[in-house]
Amino acid sequence: QKEAVYTTIAEVITKHIGYPIDVRNIKIKGAIVYIQTSPTIRNEILIHKSVILSHLQISLSENRIIDIR
């Protein structure tokens, strides 16, 4: 089930920024998602952060995600 959460996060972010995110670059600590990627992709994620977070809240109702860093 943990893999499904990471896959969902990667799919949602990829959908909104247009760049593929590798599941291996995602870490979750508490309710915060950490993504290790290039500064350009990180900037795109931050630009679309509010939309991504709201989509994650809908997709992962059992796992509360409050921030992306």
Side-chain angles (χ1 to χ4, degrees):
Q1 185 180 11
K2 191 174 183 180
E3 295 86 16
V5 172
Y6 285 88
T7 303
T8 301
I9 291 170
E11 288 173 355
V12 168
I13 293 173
T14 299
K15 176 182 170 186
H16 288 287
I17 67 168
Y19 298 102
I21 299 295
D22 191 349
V23 175
R24 294 173 292 189
N25 294 333
I26 298 173
K27 304 231 184 304
I28 301 173
K29 293 183 183 174
I32 300 173
V33 175
Y34 294 91
I35 301 175
Q36 297 173 343
T37 186
S38 72
T40 305
I41 294 175
R42 186 182 307 272
N43 192 39
E44 283 293 318
I45 291 170
L46 292 177
I47 289 171
H48 301 284
K49 184 176 179 175
S50 62
V51 175
I52 292 170
L53 284 173
S54 65
H55 194 144
L56 287 174
Q57 292 294 335
I58 294 167
S59 299
L60 302 172
S61 57
E62 69 280 354
N63 295 337
R64 186 161 150 74
I65 303 295
I66 60 169
D67 199 9
I68 300 173
R69 297 184 185 166

